[in-house]
Amino acid sequence: FSPEFGVTGALPQYSGGLGILAGDHLKSASDLGVPLVGVGLLYRHGYFRQSLSREGWQQEHYPLLDPNELPLALLREADGHPVQVALALPGGRSLRAYVWQAQVGRVPLLLLDSDVEENDPRERDVTDRLYGGGSEHRLLQEMLLGIGGVRAVRAYCRLTGHAAPEVFHTNEGHAGFLGLERIHELAAEGLEFAPALEAVRAGTVFTTHTPVPAGIDRFDRELVARHFGGGAELPDIDIERVLALGLETYPGGDPNCFNMAVMGLRLAQRANGVSTLHGEVSRRMFAGLWPGFDAAEVPITSVTNGVHAPTWVAPEVFRLGARQIGAGRTEDALAVGGSERWDAVADIPDGEIWELRRSLREQLVAEARERLAASWRERGAGTAELGWIDGVLDPDVLTIGFARRVPSYKRLTLMLRDRDRLMELLLHPERPVQIVVAGKAHPADDGGKRLVQELVRFADDPRVRHRIVFLPDYGMTMAQKLYPGCDIWLNNPLRPLEACGTSGMKAALNGCLNLSVLDGWWEEWYEPDFGWSIPTADGAAVDHDRRDDLEAAALYELLEERIAPRFYERGAGGLPERWIDMVRRTLVTLGPKVLAGRMVREYVQQLYAPAARAHRALDPATARELADWKARVRDAWAGVAVDHVETAATSTPAAGVNGTAELGSTLALRVRVALGGLTPSDVEVQAVAGRVDESDRITDPTTVPLKPTTGPDLDATWLYEGPLPLNRTGPYGYTVRILPSHPLLAAPAELGLIAFPAEATGEAAGVLMR
């Protein structure tokens, strides 16, 4: 489930990376034979078309899309009538929607469309445009996507015989209400709310795509309350239970806000970020939902995004690969991956690689001139004014690409920080560079529009307009020429605000080298053999202006001293051999990693298959048992405590001078715990040991389960024992903790319950070695 899907330029239902990623996910699932169904909304105006005023200000246009002219078919009942799904609204109103189907290879994509004659005008406009309208409009879109989407899937399965899905994957919080609809379905079958919640969580995967709280949809709790419960949607579910799923109950949260990502995490047993770094950021950002746990143990993993190579690789690149290893093996390399299929790139002669790169650059130059001329005509220029466009860009000049959405953190205008220095780069007599820029600002983001205007005005300057261009209306069709035609793909976000970023992956698959801040996927896979990293100045003492100055200076220095000289350096054969070697290493090393095929395999292995197994395990009786167990543990947890800890050395070398343990010894831990009426089968008692930092916090911990030996005694406490080997050098310490334990939990932190020793529990926590 995703609010947007970028499948093809002919179906403009996307605004940026989230939608393109969702489309690539479906295509790769089709390639790999993964049984997937996509669910989204059909926006009659799409996102928007972008043009520029004479002054360079972004202007938005919303052409009306006719679904009958798009690659879509209406889902119909057996009698030929269109399928309708309906949501109940306050005041006895209804929101109805048709279901359109696109076929993405072997994967069906269902898109809900509220432009239904029986709807009132306000409801007809719910799916008018992507990310438009006010708060209630967005809430209705997300209710239709989540609740209506589940109902659309049920209708599709009923009419086609498609197997009923076991796992529901929500792409960001927009579709989170799907969990409520599935709870409602189980309630209709007689299952109470708590066990229904457990059954739904088991089969739900939640992917977060934002590294900042401001990127998450949040609604006023009263608005949500008005749209659920009696007289509205899902009347059988107590409204307080609905609200509890999305309330920000952690320190710093707003108790009057309903947070869609928080609901997504509470309704999903498995969650992930979209790069290794973004997983770390997400665990810190949402740590308040699991109080008492270090961020490293927050149950959010990561699957790094990938891109669908057959969509993004230029035909010329494919043909070069096919000449080298055959068309069939090349198709497999792009769709399925595997490094052994990419190794053959190493054998392609330098001359062929360089000829390919120049040909792609030449195509981009022609495309850019054509789009630039069209843009200037829209800005009011006459043909007689546009002769200079024939000299814009040069197929033999080092070409840099920068194209993406234009929120402030992506820093579209960082390159303009020192305009004189940028001009020197563009106009260098021996080693010039040229830059192609594209991107849309959100219609409501005047700050983003000002950044676009600032860039456009610089690019309009007659001194440099042949070396830097802004191309309006960035979309899939433009991107398929832009990525292959660039030599360098530039990315300079504020670290760590780029959750992953995939444009550089698409560029890399075409032999374009990346120049990027170490953020998102580049932080994970960067190597100096095939690209450059822009140093970051992200210390707490550096203000935003100073940071931009420092990072822009680092960018200019890289271009002046390392990148441009390498591009223009020629070997004995007249070719830039060291540059070509970097192109080759990009393809051989990055090629297999950046594929959506790799990404979808990881989703299947790490998330979908475990969720399917968990779903199958939770029949109604088991779901009730798990819900009852969780309620019992939560009720009893106030009485769970570590009462006493003592240690003794059990092997040589023994304890050192003054009782300090020595490397190589083993400690015997004896721990007395109170379980508050629970039994040892309900908990796990662990020793947690590792190096300690300057503030005596344990880092890089390992856990050792302890075993119950006696109990309960007259004080209702149990004795646990176990060995703790001291096998690391340096400052080393340990503590003891108690966690809930059940075979159906996906992670130890799932309940957010933990018990540590109090201050006075004998030799409890402490530093053992300095």
Side-chain angles (χ1 to χ4, degrees):
F1 286 66
S2 178
E4 50 176 302
F5 285 92
V7 178
T8 168
L11 192 61
Q13 301 292 307
Y14 61 93
S15 72
L18 180 73
I20 301 296
L21 175 73
D24 283 7
H25 197 117
L26 300 192
K27 293 172 187 175
S28 291
S30 173
D31 292 342
L32 297 173
V34 176
L36 210 68
V37 176
V39 185
L41 301 179
L42 179 68
Y43 305 97
R44 286 299 180 107
H45 295 282
Y47 188 41
F48 68 89
R49 303 295 302 272
Q50 178 197 47
S51 64
L52 300 172
S53 72
R54 186 77 190 208
E55 295 73 36
W57 188 255
Q58 172 179 295
Q59 298 178 314
E60 298 93 30
H61 314 276
Y62 293 90
L64 182 64
L65 302 173
D66 181 353
N68 294 293
E69 296 177 357
L70 299 175
L72 299 170
L74 202 55
L75 186 64
R76 297 182 181 274
E77 298 285 357
D79 62 6
H81 284 89
V83 168
Q84 279 193 20
V85 298
L87 272 65
L89 300 181
R93 296 177 296 122
S94 293
L95 169 59
R96 299 175 179 84
Y98 292 133
V99 182
W100 296 87
Q101 180 183 344
Q103 200 62 35
V104 185
R106 292 182 279 187
V107 172
L109 169 60
L110 308 178
L111 300 172
L112 284 86
D113 169 20
S114 70
D115 190 13
V116 175
E117 195 172 331
E118 294 94 318
N119 280 337
D120 291 341
R122 189 167 53 164
E123 280 74 56
R124 288 187 79 156
D125 285 344
V126 164
T127 57
D128 58 348
R129 59 186 63 171
L130 179 56
Y131 301 142
S135 189
E136 184 167 22
H137 187 85
R138 288 288 291 275
L139 177 65
L140 289 175
Q141 284 190 339
E142 298 186 9
M143 289 177 65
L144 183 60
L145 174 60
I147 298 169
V150 172
R151 294 173 186 175
V153 169
R154 302 304 187 206
Y156 174 78
C157 293
R158 170 175 58 81
L159 291 166
T160 64
H162 192 286
E166 295 180 291
V167 176
F168 287 73
H169 179 188
T170 174
N171 205 27
E172 201 44 86
H174 310 88
F177 289 124
L178 69 85
L180 288 177
E181 169 64 6
R182 292 169 58 223
I183 290 171
H184 171 68
E185 290 178 333
L186 293 171
E189 297 172 11
L191 202 58
E192 303 78 15
F193 182 89
L197 172 61
E198 297 305 329
V200 165
R201 289 184 75 253
T204 303
V205 173
F206 175 76
T207 299
T208 175
H209 292 263
T210 178
V212 288
I216 295 168
D217 276 348
R218 300 159 84 227
F219 298 105
D220 183 271
R221 62 174 288 163
E222 295 305 320
L223 176 65
V224 175
R226 191 163 72 247
H227 281 274
F228 287 93
E233 192 49 69
L234 310 185
D236 298 334
I237 300 178
D238 178 6
I239 187 59
E240 292 305 318
R241 288 188 180 271
V242 172
L243 293 174
L245 290 168
L247 293 187
E248 299 176 351
T249 53
Y250 41 82
D254 183 344
N256 292 312
C257 264
F258 187 91
N259 184 309
M260 294 297 288
V262 167
M263 178 178 68
L265 289 164
R266 286 177 173 150
L267 282 170
Q269 195 176 41
R270 287 164 180 81
N272 69 287
V274 291
S275 69
T276 300
L277 178 61
H278 181 235
E280 295 171 11
V281 170
S282 299
R283 287 189 286 276
R284 290 196 298 270
M285 188 163 89
F286 293 111
L289 294 174
W290 291 272
F293 287 88
D294 286 342
E297 290 190 283
V298 166
I300 301 175
T301 184
S302 63
V303 175
T304 302
N305 287 342
V307 298
H308 185 247
T311 297
W312 301 109
V313 166
E316 295 81 0
V317 176
F318 179 87
R319 285 196 290 270
L320 181 60
R323 285 204 304 274
Q324 191 70 20
I325 62 173
R329 287 186 65 198
T330 302
E331 287 176 2
D332 283 348
L334 296 179
V336 181
S339 58
E340 70 285 348
R341 296 184 177 93
W342 288 81
D343 290 344
V345 172
D347 300 324
I348 299 175
D350 284 4
E352 291 190 28
I353 290 177
W354 190 240
E355 183 183 340
L356 170 69
R357 293 296 317 138
R358 190 190 187 283
S359 169
L360 294 171
R361 207 180 304 119
E362 197 168 38
Q363 288 182 41
L364 173 58
V365 168
E367 178 88 1
R369 289 174 182 173
E370 189 177 316
R371 287 179 177 271
L372 195 62
S375 173
W376 271 99
R377 282 193 289 272
E378 283 189 320
R379 295 173 70 182
T383 304
E385 298 177 67
L386 301 181
W388 60 274
I389 287 179
D390 291 340
V392 165
L393 306 183
D394 182 332
D396 291 310
V397 166
L398 171 61
T399 304
I400 299 171
F402 184 101
R404 49 194 36 87
R405 290 183 303 111
V406 190
S408 59
Y409 78 87
K410 291 181 184 281
R411 296 193 295 185
L412 171 74
T413 56
L414 186 71
M415 64 181 78
L416 303 183
R417 201 75 185 169
D418 184 338
R419 298 183 181 211
D420 291 339
R421 200 165 173 185
L422 177 59
M423 278 196 176
E424 289 172 10
L425 277 162
L426 296 171
L427 302 175
H428 194 284
E430 289 134 23
R431 297 191 300 272
V433 303
Q434 57 194 13
I435 307 176
V436 182
V437 185
K440 294 178 176 180
H442 188 281
D445 180 10
D446 281 351
K449 292 180 187 180
R450 280 192 288 272
L451 296 178
V452 170
Q453 185 179 47
E454 188 182 346
L455 195 289
V456 169
R457 284 179 167 172
F458 180 83
D460 285 351
D461 187 328
R463 292 174 293 174
V464 294
R465 64 188 182 185
H466 63 301
R467 285 281 188 259
I468 181 168
V469 298
F470 181 88
L471 304 181
D473 208 30
Y474 178 49
M476 288 185 74
T477 305
M478 182 196 297
Q480 285 167 324
K481 289 289 187 187
L482 187 53
Y483 298 133
C486 292
D487 300 294
I488 292 288
W489 196 258
L490 175 62
N491 186 34
N492 47 230
L494 281 167
R495 186 182 190 274
L497 302 185
E498 184 82 271
C500 180
T502 56
S503 59
M505 296 179 174
K506 298 159 193 163
L509 285 171
N510 289 282
C512 176
L513 309 183
N514 275 269
L515 166 63
S516 176
V517 165
L518 288 177
D519 200 5
W521 74 276
W522 192 236
E523 203 269 348
E524 198 168 326
W525 290 331
Y526 159 73
E527 291 178 25
D529 285 351
F530 51 69
W532 294 271
S533 69
I534 301 170
T536 52
D538 48 4
V542 181
D543 65 39
H544 279 303
D545 275 348
R546 177 68 175 151
R547 179 174 179 174
D548 284 354
D549 286 340
L550 291 170
E551 294 184 13
L555 170 61
Y556 299 137
E557 187 174 322
L558 279 167
L559 288 167
E560 291 164 348
E561 298 183 8
R562 295 175 58 189
I563 296 171
R566 181 163 294 195
F567 181 85
Y568 288 105
E569 171 191 85
R570 296 295 185 267
L575 298 174
E577 292 162 357
R578 291 206 300 160
W579 188 276
I580 293 168
D581 189 51
M582 292 184 76
V583 171
R584 190 179 277 114
R585 287 175 183 270
T586 288
L587 292 168
V588 170
T589 309
L590 280 183
K593 292 181 178 179
V594 301
L595 298 182
R598 184 268 315 152
M599 172 188 74
V600 170
R601 278 201 306 275
E602 290 183 11
Y603 270 104
V604 170
Q605 293 162 357
Q606 298 175 28
L607 296 165
Y608 293 167
R613 288 192 289 270
H615 163 81
R616 292 169 196 167
L618 279 188
D619 56 55
T622 310
R624 285 191 178 96
E625 178 191 323
L626 179 60
D628 290 346
W629 177 83
K630 284 188 175 183
R632 182 166 58 84
V633 169
R634 288 190 179 105
D635 288 344
W637 201 255
V640 174
V642 179
D643 275 359
H644 185 77
V645 180
E646 57 186 57
T647 62
T650 62
S651 65
T652 57
V657 181
N658 299 324
T660 304
E662 292 186 352
L663 180 66
S665 63
T666 299
L667 294 182
L669 288 180
R670 291 167 56 85
V671 183
R672 194 162 289 282
V673 301
L675 297 184
L678 301 177
T679 70
S681 65
D682 297 318
V683 301
E684 181 167 289
V685 179
Q686 298 175 339
V688 182
R691 290 190 179 90
V692 291
D693 61 18
E694 293 157 355
S695 57
D696 288 348
R697 286 176 58 88
I698 294 173
T699 62
D700 191 21
T702 57
T703 58
V704 179
L706 306 179
K707 301 296 182 187
T709 56
T710 62
D713 61 14
L714 294 176
D715 296 324
T717 62
W718 300 72
L719 182 65
Y720 278 72
E721 296 182 347
L724 179 62
L726 305 184
N727 53 10
R728 298 194 204 178
T729 58
Y732 192 75
Y734 81 98
T735 188
V736 175
R737 66 183 186 179
I738 310 172
L739 303 171
S741 176
H742 192 285
L744 291 176
L745 296 183
E750 186 170 316
L751 272 72
L753 299 174
I754 191 168
F756 281 111
E759 291 294 326
T761 52
E763 301 167 20
V767 178
L768 293 169
M769 295 191 299
R770 288 291 186 188

